[in-house]
Amino acid sequence: MTRLINSTPAADGYWMPAEYEPHAGTWMLWPERRDNWRLGAQPAQRAFAAVATAIAGFEPVSVGAIANQYESARALLPEAVRVVEISSNDAWMRDVGPTCVVNAAGDVRGIDWPFNAWGGLNGGLYFPWDQDDLVARKVLEIEACDRYRAPLILEGGSIHVDGEGTVLVTEQCLLNPNRNPHLSREDIETQLRAYLGVSTVIWLGEGVINDETDGHIDNLACFARPGEVCLTWTDNRRDPQWRVSQDALERLLAARDARGRRLKVHKLPQPRALTLSAAEAAGVQSRDGVKARQAGERLAASYANFYIANGGVVMPLLDQRSDSAAMAVLQRVFADRQVVGVPGREILLGGGNIHCITQQIPAVLRRRKPRL
Ligand code: KQY
């Protein structure tokens, strides 16, 4: 039995640890909807299975599948991966799963953020999203973690913390009127402090070009360790991403984190502009109420959408012309972890990548509370 807690994590001495801190395991969901994943979701299922298999080399993995997909998930996933029947509307565990918080004694609780499919009826990506909105609660029950139901709409992919009191977000997403139009920037900062246990909010501007989440931070930039950030980058001034990444770089270099440090920024080369092919677009079943896919549209491809596991980093392979350069940067930045590449195009076609489809559960261990 897990409890619904009516206070806030910060008031109870909890905070969100960084992804690079030890995990108890990783949760994912199983893709199946034909109006988002081409060819009956079969290529995406193979891609998700490859991601789960790679992560399972580092830590326990659990995958939630809707009832009529249980058998396909079980058949494609290795035995070491736990498959659990969970209803959902799609497969973005980063956004619909819980954000876990910890305290100094080693207890783990979860934040259950209200979810509106990245914008609700004002630009959201599908309707309904009621089953997605229950996923965090179900995962927390299975994990036996008490739960906070937050008062604002937020997705896990729209926040990155350093575990020492700093959160990184984008204005394009968190200030978007399709999330929490009644909350000001100051109100949102207040909620981030209360729920994530941070003192410092670093605001970047826009996210990756054409990112249908309204610019999630996890496709643009992330902490690699306290004081160090990876940022998706291009030197091509004719690419609209140049202005976005340049603005993010300027803001990061001007910022101070919660400890008063300046940030070191690692530029992660982005792939050349990747677009949806006619064959790929034709494989997706269009449906009213779901954002349609157009051949030729630019994909929001970014190597920053990687996942940090215990002892490893699992990164998307997106384009042979740039994969090894991106991998070399990540292997230099994460010299103490094994960097593993997994084909990411099929996940990208659905609108996200490896970070978007994973969610970590922190390990139970005594920790030092960040000085805020
Ligand atoms: O990238 C994500 N965090 C979610 C993308 C959702 C795309 C739905 N088509």
Side-chain angles (χ1 to χ4, degrees):
M1 172 64 180
T2 63
R3 296 173 302 159
L4 174 64
I5 312 275
N6 281 320
S7 53
T8 66
D12 297 339
Y14 284 75
W15 70 94
M16 182 184 176
E19 192 172 312
Y20 38 73
E21 295 180 45
H23 299 175
T26 300
W27 273 86
M28 297 173 61
L29 288 165
W30 191 245
E32 59 88 23
R33 58 183 299 160
R34 290 156 186 254
D35 54 14
N36 192 55
W37 305 103
R38 72 189 183 115
L39 306 179
Q42 289 186 8
Q45 292 177 350
R46 288 192 290 274
F48 275 54
V51 171
T53 303
I55 297 172
F58 298 108
E59 62 191 49
V61 178
S62 302
V63 175
I66 68 169
N68 69 13
Q69 290 294 319
Y70 176 85
E71 283 182 313
S72 96
R74 188 61 286 167
L76 286 176
L77 290 162
E79 265 179 28
V81 172
R82 171 170 69 168
V83 182
V84 181
E85 189 183 313
I86 294 185
S87 304
S88 64
N89 300 104
D90 201 358
W92 306 98
M93 187 55 103
R94 176 64 49 186
D95 295 342
V96 303
T99 294
C100 286
V101 290
V102 295
N103 69 4
D107 303 313
V108 179
R109 292 179 174 172
I111 306 167
D112 172 5
W113 309 101
F115 177 76
N116 76 349
W118 310 275
L121 300 180
N122 175 15
L125 299 178
Y126 50 71
F127 174 88
W129 53 82
D130 57 327
Q131 295 306 309
D132 280 345
D133 197 29
L134 293 172
V135 169
R137 182 174 177 178
K138 293 175 182 177
V139 169
L140 291 170
E141 287 240 5
I142 294 169
E143 293 288 339
C145 294
D146 290 339
R147 174 173 69 99
Y148 297 94
R149 177 71 171 173
L152 74 166
I153 288 169
L154 189 137
E155 302 95 39
S158 70
I159 50 172
H160 258 307
V161 296
D162 67 354
E164 295 192 350
T166 315
V167 63
L168 207 51
V169 297
T170 65
E171 293 169 346
Q172 184 191 353
C173 186
L174 269 70
L175 302 184
N176 198 303
N178 65 14
R179 301 307 208 278
N180 300 287
H182 57 295
L183 298 182
S184 66
R185 175 192 293 254
E186 292 69 35
D187 294 334
I188 288 171
E189 289 199 3
T190 300
Q191 297 296 348
L192 294 174
R193 291 191 185 98
Y195 280 84
L196 302 178
V198 297
S199 60
T200 301
V201 183
I202 298 178
W203 289 93
L204 303 187
E206 292 168 44
V208 166
I209 297 297
N210 258 10
D211 185 331
E212 62 189 24
T213 64
D214 300 312
H216 272 187
I217 191 71
D218 72 347
N219 213 21
L220 179 73
C222 66
F223 285 106
R225 59 181 57 78
E228 296 188 31
V229 170
C230 293
L231 169 66
T232 194
W233 188 257
T234 177
D235 286 317
N236 178 2
R237 290 177 176 243
R238 290 194 304 273
D239 185 330
Q241 184 61 39
W242 183 84
R243 179 189 55 78
V244 172
S245 291
Q246 183 66 34
D247 176 65
L249 178 66
E250 286 168 13
R251 292 181 190 226
L252 288 166
L253 294 179
R256 294 277 206 287
D257 69 11
R259 293 270 183 99
R261 287 175 291 231
R262 287 191 183 280
L263 297 171
K264 179 171 179 183
V265 179
H266 302 281
K267 293 178 179 172
L268 198 49
Q270 68 161 25
R272 281 190 228 182
L274 300 179
T275 55
L276 185 67
S277 74
E280 288 167 339
V284 181
Q285 286 182 8
S286 60
R287 193 152 68 93
D288 279 354
V290 177
K291 185 174 173 283
R293 304 266 171 225
Q294 304 294 340
E297 74 188 25
R298 180 166 176 170
L299 301 165
S302 166
Y303 293 108
N305 211 307
F306 59 83
Y307 182 63
I308 308 173
N310 293 337
V313 169
V314 182
M315 64 168 286
L317 301 176
L318 297 167
D319 185 338
Q320 285 180 350
R321 292 167 294 190
S322 46
D323 288 343
S324 33
M327 190 178 260
V329 172
L330 288 179
Q331 193 61 81
R332 176 175 53 73
V333 173
F334 293 97
D336 51 347
R337 295 177 197 256
Q338 184 189 353
V339 178
V340 176
V342 176
R345 184 167 177 101
E346 291 296 336
I347 312 171
L348 178 62
L349 298 180
N353 229 298
I354 293 173
H355 197 259
C356 308
I357 63 169
T358 51
Q359 182 60 262
Q360 69 276 5
I361 305 293
V364 172
L365 63 135
R366 291 191 169 276
R367 302 167 193 257
R368 194 170 304 148
K369 189 167 187 289
R371 281 181 280 116
L372 300 180

